[in-house]
Structure formats: C-alpha cells, structure tokens
Amino acid sequence: MLSSQSCVCTTLRKASRAVTRAYDEGLSDSGMTITQFAVLRNLDRQGAMALSRLAELLVMDRTSLYRLIAPLERQGWVRISDGAGRAKLASITDVGRAAMLAATPAWEKVQDGLVGAMGADAWAALQTQLRVLGSAAHADLKGTR
C-alpha cells in the first residue's frame, strides 16, 4: 500500500520547476538560463576547476554538465582547457563575467521576490532543511550500492 505522505521527490521537483521557471523568465533578457547563470557564478567564485569538480559542486552528473557547458563555451562565456591527465578545466572568461554581472540585477530581482514572499527566516530554515535532505539522500544512495 502506498504511503499517504506526499512523495519527497515529486514535491521538490514541482517546486524546483516553478522556481526555475521564475528565474529563467527573469533572466530571459540576458540570454541565459538560471542553470547557466549558476555555472558562471560558481566559476567566478571558485576559479578554474575540473569539470568533474564543477559537476560535483552543482550536484549534476557529468554528462548533463557537458551538455550545459557546450553553449557557454560557444558564447565565449567559458573556456575549456586541458588539465592534469585526462581532466578538462573550465574557467569563466572576461566576456562570461561581464554577461553574468549584467544578468545579476535580474537574478537579484527574482531572488528578492522569492525570499520576500516566504520571508528571510523561512528561507534560512528551508536552506538548512534542504542541505539536511540532500545529505540524507546522498548517504542513502551510498548505502544502497
């Protein structure tokens, strides 16, 4: 018999799609999606890094990251270079940094609207709970292998 509780995954995915849509609409004039913006922000904050490390930071599989990075490289926003061994390194370009900075006010508007709608304290609590949930999911995944 199925549990009467809402499915954690379905509930999170619904919220994720709605939030993604809000950011994508807010960023539409910039020519980038929220996922592309997140890649650029991570590279700007962390500096050049192996694609495998970037995928880990974004909690993405490498194949999805490679599909996401290709248009960023074509736009000239990201540079891919050879790293140690077979590793590939990603770094943000000056053009990418300028695009990210130009998109930041639109991102801030959506961010402020969403945090304002739920309240700063509720957002802080949700961030904590999402980290706990992510860690629990990661631990559960490791336990089933």
Side-chain angles (χ1 to χ4, degrees), residues 2 14 17 20 22 24 35 42 58 62 66 88 93 95 102 111 114 120 124 126-127 132:
L2 289 176
K14 285 179 182 179
R17 284 191 294 271
T20 298
D24 283 349
T35 310
N42 273 275
L58 295 170
R62 283 182 284 183
Y66 297 161
K88 296 289 185 185
T93 65
V95 174
Q111 178 81 0
L114 292 173
L126 179 59
Q127 284 182 89
V132 169

Side-chain angles (χ1 to χ4, degrees), residues 112-130:
D112 291 347
L114 292 173
V115 172
M118 68 184 307
D121 290 342
W123 169 234
L126 179 59
Q127 284 182 89
T128 299
Q129 291 302 313
L130 289 172

Side-chain angles (χ1 to χ4, degrees), residues 53-110:
R53 175 68 181 131
L54 182 58
E56 185 180 296
L57 279 175
L58 295 170
V59 192
M60 294 179 80
D61 62 87
R62 283 182 284 183
T63 303
S64 296
L65 177 64
Y66 297 161
R67 283 193 307 267
L68 175 64
I69 281 276
L72 296 177
E73 187 178 23
R74 281 193 303 273
Q75 287 275 64
W77 293 347
V78 168
R79 180 177 303 108
I80 305 298
S81 58
D82 292 332
R86 296 182 343 172
K88 296 289 185 185
L89 298 178
S91 58
I92 190 169
T93 65
D94 290 341
V95 174
R97 185 171 290 106
M100 180 199 69
L101 291 173
T104 297
W107 176 87
E108 288 173 338
K109 183 177 179 183
V110 176

Side-chain angles (χ1 to χ4, degrees), residues 10 19 21-22 25 28-29 31 49 61 68 73 75-76 79 83-85 88 95 117 131:
T10 300
V19 170
R21 193 174 307 120
E25 288 174 7
S28 64
D29 288 344
M49 70 179 78
D61 62 87
L68 175 64
E73 187 178 23
Q75 287 275 64
R79 180 177 303 108
K88 296 289 185 185
V95 174
R131 279 191 287 276

